[in-house]
Structures are given as structure tokens and as C-alpha cells.
Amino acid sequence: MKTPTEDPRALDRTDPARHIAEAAEAYRNWGRWGDDDALGTLNFISDAERAHAAGLVRRGASFSLAQPFDMNGPQQGWRRRTNPVHTMLDTGTDAAAGAQGFPHGLGGADDVIAMPLQCSTQWDGLGHIFDHGVAWNGRPAGSVVTSDGDLVTGIEHAASAITGRGVLLDVGRYLRPEASEDGPAGELPDGYAITTADLEACIAAQGATSAVGRGDLVLVRTGRYARALREGWNGYAGGPSAGLSFTTAGWLHRTEIAAIATDTWGFEVRPNEFDDAFQPLHQVVIPNLGLTIGEMWDLEALAADCATDGCYEFLLVAPPLPITGAVGSPVNPIALK
């Protein structure tokens, strides 16, 4: 099998299948943590690394990295994904009317929410994407995810795993320090493919606290969410965006990071780097590397703080909801510095 290219200029735009197959074989982690593994690269986070990450909290500054979960969210109905629907079951007006049936003047409010699990800030679980009908660790997709849910790698397995050293790579700010005809400062243009060279140059520019290695939870800021906050969603969900190049698969593998998240809908560059393709980097890194991916994170306040104090590492606490058999989960990630 040919060694995968890490130069985007060498990609054959007409042959995504070949490039996907080469990368999948070269970077496959099947069996690395045993036949029964349900965590993939989250196995790289050790207890010692979590203890070290806890020591990164010095000021006590806390940043929520979640977008709001409400009807004004980014979804536009693609593949039946909707924004959250929040409904009240009991209200203050019910209590004031004495309609709740409680004694001695007690009243209360209660509510319910209905939403796709990947409609806003979320993790992609290992059962979310398949490669030619094969799921993470080489299992047949049909025996992993059925109408009963993900029977093997459900997101509940990661409920205690995603806590560790977070690292922000503010690629948008690094590559676009000043406004230009292509857009405001700190925001990459749609369709910009972030390369391995871009990631490594950003790390070098940001300094030692942004060094990336085994077990890290890496956050990549493109500035796409900043534009959505300013201009409205305008295709944020599923539309054009900067994102990781397909050719970063090798970097994602050899750095041995535990997970990665971005401020974009799709993690990888859109449109994708082939003439006829849909999320080819997902196809390599989820079912083959076993990499957990986060999308639609709000990195704005954290990025501003990191730019001010020059420290790009922090404790990141981002557990998914332990929804049995789910292939993804909403999350309210908290970065502590």
C-alpha cells in the first residue's frame, strides 16, 4: 500500500477512494487496545495525565465551550436534524392558579427537551461513522449499531474518560492576525484546508504550552463560529467552512492525541478536498483510528483569554451524557485555567 500523502497539493481530487483506503490502512489502530475495546484513542488518557492536567488550574478561571441549546440553533433540517425543542410541563402560572395539586402552597416548574444528540456542541462517538460497512476495531457495522443503538461502543463508555489536558490551537488567529479582503482578523476563509504544517507552525508560534502529545484533548479554532455569532448561521451547519485537511490524518495518528474538537459543524474542511466526497477524514479517523471528534464548540472566550495570558493549556472536563447505546452526545465542555 502506498504511503499516504501529507501534501494537499498531491491529492488526486478524482480518486477519494484510493486516498481513503491508503490512509485507513496506514493509520489503523484496530486491536491496539484489545478486541473488546470501546474507547479508541481515549485510552491514551492515563490517570497520571489527568492528575497532571488538574495541576494546570491556577487562577480558577472557568470557560464553558458550549453553544446555546435552543430553537435558535444552527440546524436547518439536514438528515432530519433539528434544533432543540424545549417545552414546559409545569409553570409558575400553573402554580399561581392552584392547578398543580400540591398541598400547603407548594408550587414548581418542570420541563422536557427533545433534540437530536448532535444538533449543537457535541461529541461524535465511535459508532457514528463506518468505513465500507466496518465500524471501529474492525467490527461489522450491522452487529455494532442496530435499531437498539450502539451495542458495543455506545457513548456511555466514555462518560468518565474525557477529562484531561486540553490544548487550544488558535489557527484562525495565527494565520489571520489582521483583517484582509478575505475577512476579519482571526477568521479563516471558507474552504481553507488546515494542513499539518499549519498546525505545527501554530504550535511553534503559541509556545511551549501548546505542545501536543499523547493523551491531549486538542481544540482547533478556525473563527467560523465567531462569524456565525456576528452574521447569523448562514450555512454554518453543513455549509462551506475552514477545517482540517484530509492530509492531517497522519498527524492525528502519530501525535497520539485522545480527541479533537473544532468550532465548526464538520471538523474537516468543507467543501471537502475531492470532487465527489463527503467527510472523507471522518471515514478514516473514527472507524480506523478510533478518534473521538467534537464539533460546534464555542472557543471564543477561551481563545481571547489564551491570547491575553499566553497560556494555551488547561484542564478540560468534557464528559458526554451516558446515554446508553448513543453514537454521539451533547456536551457542555468546561476549560479551567
Side-chain angles (χ1 to χ4, degrees), residues 55-308:
L56 299 176
V57 182
R58 296 181 172 88
R59 288 188 286 132
S62 178
F63 302 89
S64 170
L65 310 182
Q67 296 184 20
F69 284 78
D70 57 36
M71 286 290 289
N72 296 317
Q75 298 302 325
Q76 297 178 328
W78 180 81
R79 293 189 66 81
R80 301 177 296 282
R81 288 184 182 173
T82 63
N83 293 310
V85 178
H86 177 218
T87 304
M88 299 306 301
L89 300 178
D90 276 307
T91 69
T93 55
D94 297 329
Q100 293 182 322
F102 296 121
H104 49 74
L106 175 73
D110 212 350
D111 47 4
V112 64
I113 190 167
M115 65 180 185
L117 298 183
Q118 296 172 326
C119 67
S120 189
T121 306
Q122 53 94 20
W123 286 118
D124 283 347
L126 296 185
H128 178 53
I129 296 292
F130 312 125
D131 182 9
H132 290 84
V134 178
W136 160 242
N137 227 18
R139 305 178 180 103
S143 64
V144 174
V145 183
T146 72
S147 59
D148 291 322
D150 187 334
L151 308 178
V152 181
T153 52
I155 201 73
E156 71 273 14
H157 295 287
S160 64
I162 313 181
T163 298
R165 177 179 179 259
V167 181
L168 175 70
L169 302 184
D170 193 346
V171 182
R173 194 179 305 260
Y174 165 67
L175 290 178
R176 185 66 64 79
E178 298 179 355
S180 73
E181 61 182 15
D182 291 330
E187 300 177 22
L188 299 179
D190 290 340
Y192 185 88
I194 298 169
T195 65
T196 295
D198 290 333
L199 295 171
E200 292 179 342
C202 180
I203 291 169
Q206 290 183 175
T209 62
S210 62
V212 170
R214 174 178 284 202
D216 288 338
L217 302 165
V218 177
L219 312 182
V220 177
R221 180 186 173 276
T222 68
R224 180 63 184 89
Y225 184 58
R227 173 150 58 95
L229 289 174
R230 186 178 63 254
E231 299 179 357
W233 294 117
N234 294 331
Y236 177 86
S241 176
L244 268 67
S245 169
F246 178 82
T247 59
T248 60
W251 184 87
L252 296 169
H253 180 258
R254 64 175 169 269
T255 53
E256 297 186 333
I257 62 173
I260 189 168
T262 70
D263 60 347
T264 71
W265 172 87
F267 160 69
E268 56 190 285
V269 63
R270 292 183 56 78
N272 302 132
E273 294 160 283
F274 301 98
D275 294 337
D276 183 17
F278 182 75
Q279 305 300 75
L281 188 55
H282 275 65
Q283 187 175 344
V284 172
V285 301
I286 293 180
N288 291 289
L289 270 71
L291 182 66
T292 296
I293 293 173
E295 293 159 332
M296 294 182 282
W297 290 35
D298 178 358
L299 304 177
E300 293 308 295
L302 175 64
D305 187 82
C306 291
T308 297

Side-chain angles (χ1 to χ4, degrees), residues 40-68:
T41 56
L42 293 177
N43 284 289
F44 285 135
I45 309 176
S46 68
D47 290 348
E49 284 157 346
R50 290 191 184 94
H52 169 74
L56 299 176
V57 182
R58 296 181 172 88
R59 288 188 286 132
S62 178
F63 302 89
S64 170
L65 310 182
Q67 296 184 20

